[in-house]
Structures are given as structure tokens and as C-alpha cells.
Amino acid sequence: MALDGTGWHPASWREQVARPRDLFTAGYWAGLVAEAERGLLDFVTFEDGLGLQSSHHGEPDGRTDQVRGRLDAVLIASRIAPLTRHIGLVPTVIATHTEPFHISKAIATLDHVSTGRAGLRVQISARPHEAGHFGRRTFPPLSLEELRTPAGQERLTGLFDEAADHVEVVRRLWDSWEDDAEIRDVATGRFIDRDKLHYIDFEGKYFSVKGPSITPRPPQGQPLVTALAHQTVPYRLVARQADVGYVTPHDAGQARAIVAEIRAEQEAAGRAGELLHVFGDLVVFLDAEQGAAEDRRARLDALAGEPYTSDARIFAGTPAQLADLLQELHSAGLTGFRLRPAVAGHDLPAITRGLVPELQRRDAFRTAYEAGTIRGLLGLPRPANRYTAA
């Protein structure tokens, strides 16, 4: 489940169930995640950014009729972790302007606090106004048209290469403490075995990080790394560094082609033998009757003053129709789905109380949580520490 504000439709905050006055409270987010956990979902992602939300690509839009402002995604997840028992918590982090040392420590802490249910969604930023918050770099404007040019693709490649190195540093820092580095022996006065803390000595084009971390190795060894991808350059990041990639096919044919490209990139990255999930993203308007879902979408579009568009496929219909679509896309090679509720207060419960029972009736979804970590829920093994001597 992908959580963003009051929902993914820009007019969702005006719905009666939206609770916009509670949006910047811990209780609001705790309630959404509790509902997702009641539905036995694998994990929730929390959107984040370094600038105000905008309907324009690359620049602020100045609008005051839509939700603007966020709480910090990592801190939301940390607040909610003790209130939940099973569901994974995956906040978004912006690799372009944040240090991998800080991110590794934050997500490792989240994994400790949640006892093995942490992950991250790595994201880049090419927006000049966001770079201006930090004063270390300047980015020229980059329009969608320029993005498709060779120069635009070269710039995009640099940002995603930087993100790949960012994740590599984070992963090495997670391994910089061996699992048994803490001795905690009061009798001998030895709290830690210094020989089991390792310098990572990472030297790359974008980062130079010595290590070790100051946070012990996370319970999962390696918390979940995820990324959203729309084309070859970000597909390559998914193939190189992610455990889960989110993609946005609009039909089974597109899904098949995207999965094939990611698998080819995965093999080129030397990870052919590793389990890499490819999840399809869908925006969901879910009601008992298809007409009701379509009418709700139309009413929200009217409130917004324009039709809602998305990078992902937009579904409006019933739980049975959505189950049919998910099974069709699954047959094209997708291993799971990340659903974006159009109105969180309406469509999240519709998913957990309508779609989930429908999938359970088809023997296509769990009836109980079967693992205690997010890696376990996804069938991902706990990785060995790369620095542990044989």
C-alpha cells in the first residue's frame, strides 16, 4: 500500500472521510497503517520529498487548493513501528541530497525499533528549488521534453548512478557490524568486539565513506531496498540495488516487456540468481459497484477542476474486477502489486475489507501473517554479512 497524504487524487482531502485536520498527527498515520495491517498486507510505503507537492514537473505550482506539506516519512514510520506487529514500514528517502551515512543509521534504527520490518524507497531529485534548500549544488531546470533528449538522459543517468552508489554505501554500512559484534559481558567488562566492526572504505565518484556505522547491524541484516522505475535508466537501478521495484504498466503486454527488461538488466548486473520482486503500481477507486467508483472519480475530478492523470494505471471498479486485473497482470510476470488508494479513508478500507477477502476466496492471498520480518514475508533470505570472515 502506497500512502500519500489523504490519498492520491489531489481533491481527496475534500472528501468527508479524509480527515484533513488530522493529517499532520501521528494518530492519522497510525490509523491508516493499522487498517493495512488488518488486511494482512506485506508493507506500506510513505511518500516524501524535499519540496512542497506540485502539479508541475520540476517546479512549485503555487496552488493552495490541494494538500501541501508533509511529515518526515522516516519519523512517521518510527512512531508507528511500536504500534504494529507484522506489517513492513518503508519510508521514502531522497538520495540526491541526503548523506548515505545518515540514511543507513535511520533505517537501521527503524529496523531495530520494528524488530525487522524496515525498508526504504530510494528516490532522486532533479528539481532546482529543492537543491536550493541545501546550497551545495545547483541544478538547471529539466522539463519532460528535455528529459527525453540525449543530454537529459545523460543527466538522469548521473542522478541514478549516484543513487546506486548511495544504496551501496548504505548496504555496506549495515554490514559494517557483524551480527555478534556486541558482547555485553559485564563480568569481563567487554561490551563490544572491536575486531567485528569494519571500515567500509568506500571510494566512488559521488561518495567517500570510511565507516563503520555507529548502529549495530539491523535485525534483517539488510532492510528492504525498493525503488519506483519508469524507464531503462531507473530499471537499471532496480536491477543493481533493489529488492523490490515498482513499475507502472497499463496492460499485460507492457508488464511483460518491463519485466523482461528488468530481468535482462538484473542478469547484466550479476544478480541473476537473486530474488528480485517486480511490483505493479495502480491507483485504485474501489466500490461495491463499478458505477459508484466511476462516479466518485468524476466527482473528485470536478472538484479538482481537471481530470486526474497518473504515471500508473487508474482503476475504478469493484473488488472482483480488481482481483481479475491483478491476476491477469501477475500472469504477465509481476510478482506483486503496490496499490495507491485514491482516497485513503475510503479506498484503503475497500482494499482491506473488499479486495483482500476476494483474493482469499481465490486462494491468491494469505489468511495470516507467516513471517516476522518484511524479508520473510516476501520470501527474501537474510543475507550473510559481507565482512564476516569465513
Side-chain angles (χ1 to χ4, degrees), residues 50 92-100 103 120-125 130 134 136-137 139 159-168 170 206-207 237:
L50 298 175
T92 296
V93 300
I94 315 299
T96 311
H97 298 296
T98 53
E99 294 295 332
I103 295 303
L120 64 85
R121 182 175 86 87
V122 62
Q123 184 172 299
I124 67 159
S125 169
E130 293 184 4
F134 300 91
R136 294 195 295 263
R137 310 164 72 172
F139 289 166
L159 288 170
F160 275 98
D161 285 346
E162 180 184 36
D165 276 6
H166 188 286
V167 175
E168 180 63 22
V170 167
Y206 304 98
F207 303 102
L237 170 66

PDB file of all heavy atoms in Angstrom, residues 50 92-100 103 120-125 130 134 136-137 139 159-168 170 206-207 237:
ATOM      1  N   LEU A  50      11.513  16.793  -0.798  1.00  0.00           N
ATOM      2  CA  LEU A  50      12.285  17.895  -0.240  1.00  0.00           C
ATOM      3  C   LEU A  50      11.733  19.241  -0.680  1.00  0.00           C
ATOM      4  O   LEU A  50      12.373  20.273  -0.506  1.00  0.00           O
ATOM      5  CB  LEU A  50      13.757  17.754  -0.642  1.00  0.00           C
ATOM      6  CG  LEU A  50      14.430  16.475  -0.127  1.00  0.00           C
ATOM      7  CD1 LEU A  50      15.839  16.352  -0.670  1.00  0.00           C
ATOM      8  CD2 LEU A  50      14.438  16.431   1.398  1.00  0.00           C
ATOM      9  N   THR A  92      10.121   6.766   2.191  1.00  0.00           N
ATOM     10  CA  THR A  92      10.875   7.277   1.053  1.00  0.00           C
ATOM     11  C   THR A  92      12.051   8.112   1.555  1.00  0.00           C
ATOM     12  O   THR A  92      11.912   8.887   2.500  1.00  0.00           O
ATOM     13  CB  THR A  92       9.968   8.146   0.166  1.00  0.00           C
ATOM     14  OG1 THR A  92       8.928   7.321  -0.367  1.00  0.00           O
ATOM     15  CG2 THR A  92      10.737   8.787  -0.972  1.00  0.00           C
ATOM     16  N   VAL A  93      13.214   7.940   0.916  1.00  0.00           N
ATOM     17  CA  VAL A  93      14.385   8.774   1.210  1.00  0.00           C
ATOM     18  C   VAL A  93      14.907   9.339  -0.112  1.00  0.00           C
ATOM     19  O   VAL A  93      14.858   8.670  -1.141  1.00  0.00           O
ATOM     20  CB  VAL A  93      15.493   7.992   1.947  1.00  0.00           C
ATOM     21  CG1 VAL A  93      14.979   7.448   3.267  1.00  0.00           C
ATOM     22  CG2 VAL A  93      16.038   6.851   1.094  1.00  0.00           C
ATOM     23  N   ILE A  94      15.390  10.567  -0.086  1.00  0.00           N
ATOM     24  CA  ILE A  94      15.874  11.238  -1.286  1.00  0.00           C
ATOM     25  C   ILE A  94      17.391  11.140  -1.310  1.00  0.00           C
ATOM     26  O   ILE A  94      18.094  11.826  -0.554  1.00  0.00           O
ATOM     27  CB  ILE A  94      15.434  12.710  -1.338  1.00  0.00           C
ATOM     28  CG1 ILE A  94      13.952  12.845  -0.962  1.00  0.00           C
ATOM     29  CG2 ILE A  94      15.722  13.305  -2.710  1.00  0.00           C
ATOM     30  CD1 ILE A  94      13.003  12.106  -1.863  1.00  0.00           C
ATOM     31  N   ALA A  95      17.914  10.293  -2.186  1.00  0.00           N
ATOM     32  CA  ALA A  95      19.354  10.040  -2.211  1.00  0.00           C
ATOM     33  C   ALA A  95      20.146  11.254  -2.670  1.00  0.00           C
ATOM     34  O   ALA A  95      21.300  11.433  -2.270  1.00  0.00           O
ATOM     35  CB  ALA A  95      19.650   8.848  -3.126  1.00  0.00           C
ATOM     36  N   THR A  96      19.544  12.094  -3.498  1.00  0.00           N
ATOM     37  CA  THR A  96      20.285  13.191  -4.128  1.00  0.00           C
ATOM     38  C   THR A  96      20.825  14.191  -3.122  1.00  0.00           C
ATOM     39  O   THR A  96      21.900  14.754  -3.324  1.00  0.00           O
ATOM     40  CB  THR A  96      19.389  13.911  -5.155  1.00  0.00           C
ATOM     41  OG1 THR A  96      18.780  12.941  -6.011  1.00  0.00           O
ATOM     42  CG2 THR A  96      20.183  14.883  -6.000  1.00  0.00           C
ATOM     43  N   HIS A  97      20.110  14.448  -2.044  1.00  0.00           N
ATOM     44  CA  HIS A  97      20.513  15.499  -1.117  1.00  0.00           C
ATOM     45  C   HIS A  97      20.704  15.017   0.316  1.00  0.00           C
ATOM     46  O   HIS A  97      20.839  15.844   1.228  1.00  0.00           O
ATOM     47  CB  HIS A  97      19.482  16.628  -1.126  1.00  0.00           C
ATOM     48  CG  HIS A  97      19.337  17.308  -2.459  1.00  0.00           C
ATOM     49  ND1 HIS A  97      20.350  18.011  -3.053  1.00  0.00           N
ATOM     50  CD2 HIS A  97      18.286  17.376  -3.317  1.00  0.00           C
ATOM     51  CE1 HIS A  97      19.934  18.498  -4.225  1.00  0.00           C
ATOM     52  NE2 HIS A  97      18.692  18.127  -4.397  1.00  0.00           N
ATOM     53  N   THR A  98      20.704  13.715   0.547  1.00  0.00           N
ATOM     54  CA  THR A  98      20.900  13.206   1.905  1.00  0.00           C
ATOM     55  C   THR A  98      22.129  12.303   1.930  1.00  0.00           C
ATOM     56  O   THR A  98      22.431  11.613   0.955  1.00  0.00           O
ATOM     57  CB  THR A  98      19.676  12.416   2.392  1.00  0.00           C
ATOM     58  OG1 THR A  98      19.348  11.401   1.430  1.00  0.00           O
ATOM     59  CG2 THR A  98      18.488  13.326   2.582  1.00  0.00           C
ATOM     60  N   GLU A  99      22.814  12.302   3.043  1.00  0.00           N
ATOM     61  CA  GLU A  99      24.032  11.512   3.163  1.00  0.00           C
ATOM     62  C   GLU A  99      23.688  10.044   3.446  1.00  0.00           C
ATOM     63  O   GLU A  99      22.845   9.752   4.300  1.00  0.00           O
ATOM     64  CB  GLU A  99      24.911  12.057   4.288  1.00  0.00           C
ATOM     65  CG  GLU A  99      25.470  13.445   4.020  1.00  0.00           C
ATOM     66  CD  GLU A  99      26.425  13.448   2.833  1.00  0.00           C
ATOM     67  OE1 GLU A  99      27.060  12.420   2.557  1.00  0.00           O
ATOM     68  OE2 GLU A  99      26.505  14.509   2.166  1.00  0.00           O
ATOM     69  N   PRO A 100      24.357   9.114   2.755  1.00  0.00           N
ATOM     70  CA  PRO A 100      24.061   7.697   2.999  1.00  0.00           C
ATOM     71  C   PRO A 100      24.348   7.261   4.437  1.00  0.00           C
ATOM     72  O   PRO A 100      23.684   6.365   4.945  1.00  0.00           O
ATOM     73  CB  PRO A 100      24.952   6.961   1.984  1.00  0.00           C
ATOM     74  CG  PRO A 100      25.971   7.962   1.542  1.00  0.00           C
ATOM     75  CD  PRO A 100      25.334   9.305   1.666  1.00  0.00           C
ATOM     76  N   ILE A 103      21.213   8.053   6.367  1.00  0.00           N
ATOM     77  CA  ILE A 103      20.106   7.175   5.978  1.00  0.00           C
ATOM     78  C   ILE A 103      20.328   5.769   6.515  1.00  0.00           C
ATOM     79  O   ILE A 103      19.400   5.117   7.023  1.00  0.00           O
ATOM     80  CB  ILE A 103      19.944   7.159   4.446  1.00  0.00           C
ATOM     81  CG1 ILE A 103      19.525   8.543   3.929  1.00  0.00           C
ATOM     82  CG2 ILE A 103      18.927   6.093   4.028  1.00  0.00           C
ATOM     83  CD1 ILE A 103      18.246   9.083   4.531  1.00  0.00           C
ATOM     84  N   LEU A 120      13.349   0.914   2.799  1.00  0.00           N
ATOM     85  CA  LEU A 120      13.383   2.272   2.279  1.00  0.00           C
ATOM     86  C   LEU A 120      12.994   2.256   0.812  1.00  0.00           C
ATOM     87  O   LEU A 120      13.148   1.252   0.114  1.00  0.00           O
ATOM     88  CB  LEU A 120      14.761   2.919   2.466  1.00  0.00           C
ATOM     89  CG  LEU A 120      15.971   2.319   1.748  1.00  0.00           C
ATOM     90  CD1 LEU A 120      16.115   2.846   0.329  1.00  0.00           C
ATOM     91  CD2 LEU A 120      17.248   2.632   2.526  1.00  0.00           C
ATOM     92  N   ARG A 121      12.447   3.381   0.365  1.00  0.00           N
ATOM     93  CA  ARG A 121      12.211   3.608  -1.060  1.00  0.00           C
ATOM     94  C   ARG A 121      13.141   4.730  -1.489  1.00  0.00           C
ATOM     95  O   ARG A 121      12.991   5.870  -1.066  1.00  0.00           O
ATOM     96  CB  ARG A 121      10.750   3.990  -1.335  1.00  0.00           C
ATOM     97  CG  ARG A 121      10.472   4.187  -2.827  1.00  0.00           C
ATOM     98  CD  ARG A 121       9.011   4.433  -3.112  1.00  0.00           C
ATOM     99  NE  ARG A 121       8.631   5.820  -3.003  1.00  0.00           N
ATOM    100  CZ  ARG A 121       8.717   6.721  -3.999  1.00  0.00           C
ATOM    101  NH1 ARG A 121       9.231   6.374  -5.156  1.00  0.00           N
ATOM    102  NH2 ARG A 121       8.306   7.957  -3.812  1.00  0.00           N
ATOM    103  N   VAL A 122      14.130   4.390  -2.308  1.00  0.00           N
ATOM    104  CA  VAL A 122      15.116   5.375  -2.719  1.00  0.00           C
ATOM    105  C   VAL A 122      14.570   6.179  -3.895  1.00  0.00           C
ATOM    106  O   VAL A 122      13.947   5.634  -4.802  1.00  0.00           O
ATOM    107  CB  VAL A 122      16.464   4.705  -3.066  1.00  0.00           C
ATOM    108  CG1 VAL A 122      16.328   3.745  -4.241  1.00  0.00           C
ATOM    109  CG2 VAL A 122      17.530   5.749  -3.352  1.00  0.00           C
ATOM    110  N   GLN A 123      14.788   7.493  -3.846  1.00  0.00           N
ATOM    111  CA  GLN A 123      14.255   8.394  -4.864  1.00  0.00           C
ATOM    112  C   GLN A 123      15.312   9.449  -5.178  1.00  0.00           C
ATOM    113  O   GLN A 123      16.143   9.781  -4.336  1.00  0.00           O
ATOM    114  CB  GLN A 123      12.978   9.064  -4.328  1.00  0.00           C
ATOM    115  CG  GLN A 123      12.250   9.970  -5.295  1.00  0.00           C
ATOM    116  CD  GLN A 123      10.916  10.422  -4.719  1.00  0.00           C
ATOM    117  OE1 GLN A 123      10.032   9.619  -4.436  1.00  0.00           O
ATOM    118  NE2 GLN A 123      10.766  11.714  -4.507  1.00  0.00           N
ATOM    119  N   ILE A 124      15.292   9.974  -6.395  1.00  0.00           N
ATOM    120  CA  ILE A 124      16.196  11.052  -6.774  1.00  0.00           C
ATOM    121  C   ILE A 124      15.429  12.369  -6.835  1.00  0.00           C
ATOM    122  O   ILE A 124      14.196  12.386  -6.823  1.00  0.00           O
ATOM    123  CB  ILE A 124      16.875  10.791  -8.135  1.00  0.00           C
ATOM    124  CG1 ILE A 124      15.827  10.825  -9.261  1.00  0.00           C
ATOM    125  CG2 ILE A 124      17.649   9.481  -8.126  1.00  0.00           C
ATOM    126  CD1 ILE A 124      16.402  11.073 -10.631  1.00  0.00           C
ATOM    127  N   SER A 125      16.155  13.478  -6.915  1.00  0.00           N
ATOM    128  CA  SER A 125      15.541  14.786  -7.121  1.00  0.00           C
ATOM    129  C   SER A 125      16.382  15.564  -8.119  1.00  0.00           C
ATOM    130  O   SER A 125      17.588  15.730  -7.921  1.00  0.00           O
ATOM    131  CB  SER A 125      15.443  15.563  -5.805  1.00  0.00           C
ATOM    132  OG  SER A 125      15.085  16.916  -6.067  1.00  0.00           O
ATOM    133  N   GLU A 130      14.575  22.413  -4.989  1.00  0.00           N
ATOM    134  CA  GLU A 130      14.936  21.523  -3.891  1.00  0.00           C
ATOM    135  C   GLU A 130      16.434  21.584  -3.626  1.00  0.00           C
ATOM    136  O   GLU A 130      16.869  21.567  -2.470  1.00  0.00           O
ATOM    137  CB  GLU A 130      14.462  20.105  -4.190  1.00  0.00           C
ATOM    138  CG  GLU A 130      12.941  19.989  -4.213  1.00  0.00           C
ATOM    139  CD  GLU A 130      12.437  18.571  -4.410  1.00  0.00           C
ATOM    140  OE1 GLU A 130      13.271  17.633  -4.454  1.00  0.00           O
ATOM    141  OE2 GLU A 130      11.208  18.394  -4.522  1.00  0.00           O
ATOM    142  N   PHE A 134      19.611  23.331   0.077  1.00  0.00           N
ATOM    143  CA  PHE A 134      20.833  22.797   0.675  1.00  0.00           C
ATOM    144  C   PHE A 134      22.077  23.625   0.344  1.00  0.00           C
ATOM    145  O   PHE A 134      23.045  23.603   1.095  1.00  0.00           O
ATOM    146  CB  PHE A 134      21.035  21.341   0.226  1.00  0.00           C
ATOM    147  CG  PHE A 134      19.901  20.454   0.637  1.00  0.00           C
ATOM    148  CD1 PHE A 134      18.806  20.261  -0.199  1.00  0.00           C
ATOM    149  CD2 PHE A 134      19.882  19.863   1.882  1.00  0.00           C
ATOM    150  CE1 PHE A 134      17.737  19.472   0.191  1.00  0.00           C
ATOM    151  CE2 PHE A 134      18.821  19.072   2.284  1.00  0.00           C
ATOM    152  CZ  PHE A 134      17.736  18.879   1.437  1.00  0.00           C
ATOM    153  N   ARG A 136      24.455  23.312  -1.738  1.00  0.00           N
ATOM    154  CA  ARG A 136      25.698  22.635  -2.099  1.00  0.00           C
ATOM    155  C   ARG A 136      25.810  22.372  -3.596  1.00  0.00           C
ATOM    156  O   ARG A 136      26.901  22.158  -4.114  1.00  0.00           O
ATOM    157  CB  ARG A 136      25.819  21.299  -1.343  1.00  0.00           C
ATOM    158  CG  ARG A 136      25.965  21.451   0.158  1.00  0.00           C
ATOM    159  CD  ARG A 136      26.440  20.147   0.800  1.00  0.00           C
ATOM    160  NE  ARG A 136      25.463  19.080   0.660  1.00  0.00           N
ATOM    161  CZ  ARG A 136      24.578  18.753   1.596  1.00  0.00           C
ATOM    162  NH1 ARG A 136      24.542  19.441   2.722  1.00  0.00           N
ATOM    163  NH2 ARG A 136      23.729  17.769   1.419  1.00  0.00           N
ATOM    164  N   ARG A 137      24.660  22.351  -4.281  1.00  0.00           N
ATOM    165  CA  ARG A 137      24.638  22.038  -5.701  1.00  0.00           C
ATOM    166  C   ARG A 137      23.601  22.929  -6.373  1.00  0.00           C
ATOM    167  O   ARG A 137      22.661  23.390  -5.729  1.00  0.00           O
ATOM    168  CB  ARG A 137      24.247  20.563  -5.923  1.00  0.00           C
ATOM    169  CG  ARG A 137      25.038  19.598  -5.103  1.00  0.00           C
ATOM    170  CD  ARG A 137      24.403  18.215  -5.046  1.00  0.00           C
ATOM    171  NE  ARG A 137      24.497  17.487  -6.283  1.00  0.00           N
ATOM    172  CZ  ARG A 137      24.140  16.207  -6.411  1.00  0.00           C
ATOM    173  NH1 ARG A 137      23.671  15.548  -5.376  1.00  0.00           N
ATOM    174  NH2 ARG A 137      24.244  15.602  -7.557  1.00  0.00           N
ATOM    175  N   PHE A 139      21.062  22.917  -9.842  1.00  0.00           N
ATOM    176  CA  PHE A 139      20.528  22.130 -10.947  1.00  0.00           C
ATOM    177  C   PHE A 139      19.821  23.063 -11.925  1.00  0.00           C
ATOM    178  O   PHE A 139      18.937  23.820 -11.504  1.00  0.00           O
ATOM    179  CB  PHE A 139      19.517  21.091 -10.447  1.00  0.00           C
ATOM    180  CG  PHE A 139      20.111  19.946  -9.685  1.00  0.00           C
ATOM    181  CD1 PHE A 139      19.305  19.100  -8.944  1.00  0.00           C
ATOM    182  CD2 PHE A 139      21.471  19.702  -9.692  1.00  0.00           C
ATOM    183  CE1 PHE A 139      19.838  18.037  -8.241  1.00  0.00           C
ATOM    184  CE2 PHE A 139      22.017  18.641  -8.992  1.00  0.00           C
ATOM    185  CZ  PHE A 139      21.202  17.815  -8.268  1.00  0.00           C
ATOM    186  N   LEU A 159      22.234  11.001 -12.031  1.00  0.00           N
ATOM    187  CA  LEU A 159      21.489  11.018 -10.778  1.00  0.00           C
ATOM    188  C   LEU A 159      21.183   9.597 -10.291  1.00  0.00           C
ATOM    189  O   LEU A 159      21.248   9.314  -9.083  1.00  0.00           O
ATOM    190  CB  LEU A 159      20.197  11.807 -10.952  1.00  0.00           C
ATOM    191  CG  LEU A 159      20.357  13.327 -11.082  1.00  0.00           C
ATOM    192  CD1 LEU A 159      19.043  13.979 -11.501  1.00  0.00           C
ATOM    193  CD2 LEU A 159      20.849  13.929  -9.765  1.00  0.00           C
ATOM    194  N   PHE A 160      20.858   8.704 -11.213  1.00  0.00           N
ATOM    195  CA  PHE A 160      20.565   7.328 -10.803  1.00  0.00           C
ATOM    196  C   PHE A 160      21.838   6.552 -10.470  1.00  0.00           C
ATOM    197  O   PHE A 160      21.813   5.672  -9.603  1.00  0.00           O
ATOM    198  CB  PHE A 160      19.733   6.621 -11.874  1.00  0.00           C
ATOM    199  CG  PHE A 160      18.256   6.889 -11.741  1.00  0.00           C
ATOM    200  CD1 PHE A 160      17.647   7.865 -12.515  1.00  0.00           C
ATOM    201  CD2 PHE A 160      17.491   6.206 -10.817  1.00  0.00           C
ATOM    202  CE1 PHE A 160      16.286   8.130 -12.382  1.00  0.00           C
ATOM    203  CE2 PHE A 160      16.138   6.464 -10.670  1.00  0.00           C
ATOM    204  CZ  PHE A 160      15.528   7.433 -11.457  1.00  0.00           C
ATOM    205  N   ASP A 161      22.952   6.870 -11.132  1.00  0.00           N
ATOM    206  CA  ASP A 161      24.227   6.264 -10.731  1.00  0.00           C
ATOM    207  C   ASP A 161      24.599   6.698  -9.313  1.00  0.00           C
ATOM    208  O   ASP A 161      25.102   5.903  -8.513  1.00  0.00           O
ATOM    209  CB  ASP A 161      25.336   6.664 -11.701  1.00  0.00           C
ATOM    210  CG  ASP A 161      25.262   5.925 -13.031  1.00  0.00           C
ATOM    211  OD1 ASP A 161      24.522   4.915 -13.115  1.00  0.00           O
ATOM    212  OD2 ASP A 161      25.942   6.352 -13.987  1.00  0.00           O
ATOM    213  N   GLU A 162      24.355   7.976  -9.010  1.00  0.00           N
ATOM    214  CA  GLU A 162      24.588   8.473  -7.658  1.00  0.00           C
ATOM    215  C   GLU A 162      23.703   7.736  -6.654  1.00  0.00           C
ATOM    216  O   GLU A 162      24.162   7.345  -5.569  1.00  0.00           O
ATOM    217  CB  GLU A 162      24.320   9.968  -7.600  1.00  0.00           C
ATOM    218  CG  GLU A 162      24.533  10.580  -6.223  1.00  0.00           C
ATOM    219  CD  GLU A 162      24.166  12.052  -6.176  1.00  0.00           C
ATOM    220  OE1 GLU A 162      23.189  12.457  -6.848  1.00  0.00           O
ATOM    221  OE2 GLU A 162      24.854  12.791  -5.461  1.00  0.00           O
ATOM    222  N   ALA A 163      22.434   7.512  -7.018  1.00  0.00           N
ATOM    223  CA  ALA A 163      21.525   6.778  -6.132  1.00  0.00           C
ATOM    224  C   ALA A 163      21.998   5.347  -5.915  1.00  0.00           C
ATOM    225  O   ALA A 163      21.900   4.806  -4.804  1.00  0.00           O
ATOM    226  CB  ALA A 163      20.111   6.795  -6.701  1.00  0.00           C
ATOM    227  N   ALA A 164      22.520   4.716  -6.966  1.00  0.00           N
ATOM    228  CA  ALA A 164      23.027   3.350  -6.828  1.00  0.00           C
ATOM    229  C   ALA A 164      24.214   3.309  -5.871  1.00  0.00           C
ATOM    230  O   ALA A 164      24.316   2.405  -5.023  1.00  0.00           O
ATOM    231  CB  ALA A 164      23.423   2.799  -8.197  1.00  0.00           C
ATOM    232  N   ASP A 165      25.116   4.289  -5.973  1.00  0.00           N
ATOM    233  CA  ASP A 165      26.242   4.347  -5.039  1.00  0.00           C
ATOM    234  C   ASP A 165      25.757   4.648  -3.622  1.00  0.00           C
ATOM    235  O   ASP A 165      26.292   4.122  -2.640  1.00  0.00           O
ATOM    236  CB  ASP A 165      27.229   5.429  -5.484  1.00  0.00           C
ATOM    237  CG  ASP A 165      28.213   4.939  -6.540  1.00  0.00           C
ATOM    238  OD1 ASP A 165      28.051   3.794  -7.002  1.00  0.00           O
ATOM    239  OD2 ASP A 165      29.122   5.717  -6.911  1.00  0.00           O
ATOM    240  N   HIS A 166      24.743   5.504  -3.519  1.00  0.00           N
ATOM    241  CA  HIS A 166      24.155   5.821  -2.213  1.00  0.00           C
ATOM    242  C   HIS A 166      23.669   4.540  -1.532  1.00  0.00           C
ATOM    243  O   HIS A 166      23.988   4.279  -0.363  1.00  0.00           O
ATOM    244  CB  HIS A 166      22.990   6.793  -2.430  1.00  0.00           C
ATOM    245  CG  HIS A 166      22.395   7.374  -1.190  1.00  0.00           C
ATOM    246  ND1 HIS A 166      21.579   6.645  -0.343  1.00  0.00           N
ATOM    247  CD2 HIS A 166      22.474   8.617  -0.651  1.00  0.00           C
ATOM    248  CE1 HIS A 166      21.189   7.424   0.650  1.00  0.00           C
ATOM    249  NE2 HIS A 166      21.706   8.622   0.492  1.00  0.00           N
ATOM    250  N   VAL A 167      22.929   3.729  -2.265  1.00  0.00           N
ATOM    251  CA  VAL A 167      22.418   2.476  -1.694  1.00  0.00           C
ATOM    252  C   VAL A 167      23.566   1.528  -1.370  1.00  0.00           C
ATOM    253  O   VAL A 167      23.544   0.840  -0.351  1.00  0.00           O
ATOM    254  CB  VAL A 167      21.412   1.818  -2.653  1.00  0.00           C
ATOM    255  CG1 VAL A 167      20.979   0.452  -2.119  1.00  0.00           C
ATOM    256  CG2 VAL A 167      20.196   2.710  -2.850  1.00  0.00           C
ATOM    257  N   GLU A 168      24.590   1.485  -2.231  1.00  0.00           N
ATOM    258  CA  GLU A 168      25.728   0.613  -1.964  1.00  0.00           C
ATOM    259  C   GLU A 168      26.411   0.996  -0.655  1.00  0.00           C
ATOM    260  O   GLU A 168      26.767   0.120   0.151  1.00  0.00           O
ATOM    261  CB  GLU A 168      26.728   0.678  -3.123  1.00  0.00           C
ATOM    262  CG  GLU A 168      27.962  -0.187  -2.944  1.00  0.00           C
ATOM    263  CD  GLU A 168      27.673  -1.681  -2.876  1.00  0.00           C
ATOM    264  OE1 GLU A 168      26.603  -2.117  -3.362  1.00  0.00           O
ATOM    265  OE2 GLU A 168      28.519  -2.422  -2.329  1.00  0.00           O
ATOM    266  N   VAL A 170      24.989   2.583   1.878  1.00  0.00           N
ATOM    267  CA  VAL A 170      24.046   2.222   2.937  1.00  0.00           C
ATOM    268  C   VAL A 170      24.133   0.737   3.250  1.00  0.00           C
ATOM    269  O   VAL A 170      24.212   0.329   4.423  1.00  0.00           O
ATOM    270  CB  VAL A 170      22.609   2.616   2.525  1.00  0.00           C
ATOM    271  CG1 VAL A 170      21.580   1.974   3.461  1.00  0.00           C
ATOM    272  CG2 VAL A 170      22.447   4.133   2.531  1.00  0.00           C
ATOM    273  N   TYR A 206      30.805   9.648  -6.278  1.00  0.00           N
ATOM    274  CA  TYR A 206      29.874  10.532  -5.579  1.00  0.00           C
ATOM    275  C   TYR A 206      30.080  10.561  -4.071  1.00  0.00           C
ATOM    276  O   TYR A 206      29.693  11.530  -3.417  1.00  0.00           O
ATOM    277  CB  TYR A 206      28.437  10.109  -5.885  1.00  0.00           C
ATOM    278  CG  TYR A 206      28.130  10.067  -7.368  1.00  0.00           C
ATOM    279  CD1 TYR A 206      28.172   8.867  -8.077  1.00  0.00           C
ATOM    280  CD2 TYR A 206      27.822  11.235  -8.063  1.00  0.00           C
ATOM    281  CE1 TYR A 206      27.894   8.833  -9.440  1.00  0.00           C
ATOM    282  CE2 TYR A 206      27.546  11.210  -9.418  1.00  0.00           C
ATOM    283  CZ  TYR A 206      27.590   9.997 -10.105  1.00  0.00           C
ATOM    284  OH  TYR A 206      27.332   9.969 -11.456  1.00  0.00           O
ATOM    285  N   PHE A 207      30.649   9.509  -3.502  1.00  0.00           N
ATOM    286  CA  PHE A 207      30.776   9.428  -2.055  1.00  0.00           C
ATOM    287  C   PHE A 207      32.136   8.855  -1.660  1.00  0.00           C
ATOM    288  O   PHE A 207      32.686   8.001  -2.370  1.00  0.00           O
ATOM    289  CB  PHE A 207      29.677   8.530  -1.456  1.00  0.00           C
ATOM    290  CG  PHE A 207      28.280   8.962  -1.792  1.00  0.00           C
ATOM    291  CD1 PHE A 207      27.549   8.320  -2.769  1.00  0.00           C
ATOM    292  CD2 PHE A 207      27.699  10.037  -1.133  1.00  0.00           C
ATOM    293  CE1 PHE A 207      26.271   8.714  -3.089  1.00  0.00           C
ATOM    294  CE2 PHE A 207      26.415  10.449  -1.439  1.00  0.00           C
ATOM    295  CZ  PHE A 207      25.711   9.787  -2.420  1.00  0.00           C
ATOM    296  N   LEU A 237      18.751   0.815 -11.976  1.00  0.00           N
ATOM    297  CA  LEU A 237      18.930   0.962 -10.529  1.00  0.00           C
ATOM    298  C   LEU A 237      18.236  -0.172  -9.789  1.00  0.00           C
ATOM    299  O   LEU A 237      18.799  -0.768  -8.860  1.00  0.00           O
ATOM    300  CB  LEU A 237      18.372   2.310 -10.071  1.00  0.00           C
ATOM    301  CG  LEU A 237      18.281   2.506  -8.545  1.00  0.00           C
ATOM    302  CD1 LEU A 237      19.676   2.530  -7.911  1.00  0.00           C
ATOM    303  CD2 LEU A 237      17.516   3.787  -8.198  1.00  0.00           C
TER     304      LEU A 237
END
